[in-house]
Amino acid sequence: MIELRTPTQIEEMKPAGRFVADVLVALKDAAAVGVNLLELDALAHTMIKDAGAESCYVDYHPSFGASPFGKVLCTSVNDAVLHGLPFDYALQDGDLLSVDFAASVNGWVADSALSVVVGNARQEDLDLIETTTRALEAGIEAARPGNKVGDISHAIAEVARDAGLRINTQFGGHGVGRTMHGDPHIPNDGRPGRGFKLQPGLVIAIEPWFLHTTDEIYTDKDGWTLRSKDGSRGAHMEHTVAITADGPLILTARD
Ligand code: MG
């Protein structure tokens, strides 16, 4: 079911968006060569406790998950691109790290992700992050009343295709509200003018993710982490966006 929020409810969602943005900034600043993924998870956990927020991940146990997630953060490194379960791993020079974080503040959820390279970056990794960022921006730009879900999907996919990337539509954006995953699904490719008509009050996570040379993924033996089939690296960018009469409002903006 697709739910629309009142302007008052969108105001109430802003603290969650700001909190999630603050945590991502802290994680980006903390990510460095030698830092362990479990330290990043602990940092997010501390910030959740200090803020009186609630993790959306720790008890998360969907049908495809082997057991409850158990951590508060997804950390996906190099050929891992989504749902990376933090484990005992110290980041190495040149690693491409994607962090995905969702939390609830005052009963409202926000969800956001970013990718960053620690230490000396390969140019191709910086290019992949830049393309994924532009795809997110194009998707957000299309998230306005009168457009349809397909317009967001198409805007994202055009940026990816222009960069020669392939697109997986299995995992994508989603409605956000009292819980982390609601309708509608926002695929990262689609036909313009198709799908649910966007209207003020719709709050969605838009989240392009791409791999260098494939669109195929498999699940790691940890039961969660999604890795590229060919070993190529991935990037992931996500914001929670409220569609208003004036256009898209990025609730998880980091500036
Ligand atoms: Mg997310």
Side-chain angles (χ1 to χ4, degrees), residues 78-221:
N78 297 338
D79 65 313
V81 65
L82 294 177
H83 304 171
L85 183 66
F87 65 104
D88 181 10
Y89 174 79
L91 290 166
Q92 298 181 23
D93 188 39
D95 276 352
L96 198 176
L97 168 70
S98 298
V99 289
D100 191 349
F101 180 72
S104 161
V105 175
N106 299 330
W108 292 105
V109 170
D111 188 358
S112 186
L114 61 79
S115 294
V116 66
V117 179
V118 298
N120 296 295
R122 305 178 186 182
Q123 187 57 46
E124 61 178 31
D125 289 345
L126 297 178
D127 291 347
L128 184 65
I129 293 172
E130 193 264 339
T131 301
T132 312
T133 303
R134 275 193 294 112
L136 174 58
E137 288 166 355
I140 292 171
E141 180 57 29
R144 48 185 69 248
N147 277 353
K148 294 192 171 170
V149 165
D151 293 302
I152 299 175
S153 303
H154 180 71
I156 290 169
E158 255 194 340
V159 173
R161 267 195 290 272
D162 284 351
L165 298 172
R166 297 165 74 164
I167 302 153
N168 175 306
T169 53
Q170 194 182 352
F171 295 93
H174 47 87
V176 176
R178 294 290 186 186
T179 59
M180 178 167 60
H181 288 139
D183 292 328
H185 176 57
I186 316 283
N188 288 325
D189 192 7
R191 295 172 66 183
R194 294 296 182 92
F196 182 74
K197 191 173 177 187
L198 306 176
Q199 42 201 293
L202 185 67
V203 181
I204 50 176
I206 301 175
E207 51 175 321
W209 60 275
F210 306 114
L211 301 156
H212 275 303
T213 50
T214 184
D215 57 356
E216 290 189 81
I217 50 176
Y218 71 93
T219 306
D220 184 277
K221 60 184 183 314

